[in-house]
Amino acid sequence: MSQTGESLKKRILAVDDSAIVLTRISGILRDTYEVITVNSGVRALRYLELEKPDLILLDIQMAQQDGIETLREIRNREECGDIPVIMLTGVETKDAVLESSRLGICDYLLKPFSSAELHKRISRVFEQEEKGEEKP
């Protein structure tokens, strides 16, 4: 059985409680990455029990469990603690950005964002990760 190009793509987990945002992210990224979308922090944590994506796009403001709490739980899981996370937010609040930074995010992106900006931020994370892997 031959490997398809799909299996060679990096996997991104997008977490947002807006179906519109998830559809947009998927549309922007699907040609370059394998995109998995979930509409809550709880569902993201369930997914992470089964799979480990290469990157997580995580909305800060969500019902039930917000992105900060979800990120805190992700970082507390040994098998997930090193997954790069880019936070997405519609409102730039200093406290949320500071708390996200303390929890080890790679970057954050204000909504609405352009396709080019989303690709640029993701590429930067993967480039930094590759450079880090090359170090002895």
Side-chain angles (χ1 to χ4, degrees):
M1 213 161 117
S2 66
Q3 256 189 327
T4 64
E6 191 73 23
S7 65
L8 300 175
K9 290 181 178 181
K10 288 197 179 280
R11 185 180 307 150
I12 295 176
L13 175 63
V15 186
D16 199 303
D17 58 355
S18 166
I20 293 168
V21 172
L22 290 175
T23 300
R24 182 158 186 266
I25 289 171
S26 184
I28 292 169
L29 299 177
R30 71 174 161 235
D31 290 340
T32 311
Y33 304 102
E34 180 184 347
V35 182
I36 294 87
T37 59
V38 295
N39 64 359
S40 73
V42 172
R43 287 196 171 137
L45 294 168
R46 278 193 210 127
Y47 174 83
L48 292 170
E49 290 172 4
L50 305 170
E51 299 286 339
K52 184 177 177 183
D54 297 296
L55 177 94
I56 299 171
L57 297 172
L58 181 59
D59 184 29
I60 288 179
Q61 295 175 314
M62 294 186 289
Q64 286 183 312
Q65 180 171 323
D66 70 20
I68 302 290
E69 183 57 37
T70 302
L71 179 59
R72 195 173 284 119
E73 288 192 39
I74 290 168
R75 291 299 182 231
N76 286 332
R77 293 181 178 188
E78 189 175 328
E79 69 279 6
C80 300
D82 62 341
I83 299 172
V85 176
I86 296 175
M87 297 300 279
L88 304 175
T89 184
V91 181
E92 183 177 9
T93 63
K94 192 174 181 180
D95 291 342
V97 172
L98 287 173
E99 182 62 17
S100 298
S101 294
R102 276 193 287 271
L103 292 167
I105 62 166
C106 297
D107 205 346
Y108 75 97
L109 190 55
L110 288 174
K111 294 187 225 173
F113 47 81
S114 69
S115 301
E117 189 64 26
L118 183 59
H119 273 288
K120 182 173 127 186
R121 302 289 181 101
I122 291 170
S123 294
R124 187 184 314 156
V125 170
F126 288 143
E127 286 168 11
Q128 289 172 345
E129 195 173 69
E130 286 173 16
K131 288 178 186 174
E133 288 175 3
E134 292 171 8
K135 293 177 185 174

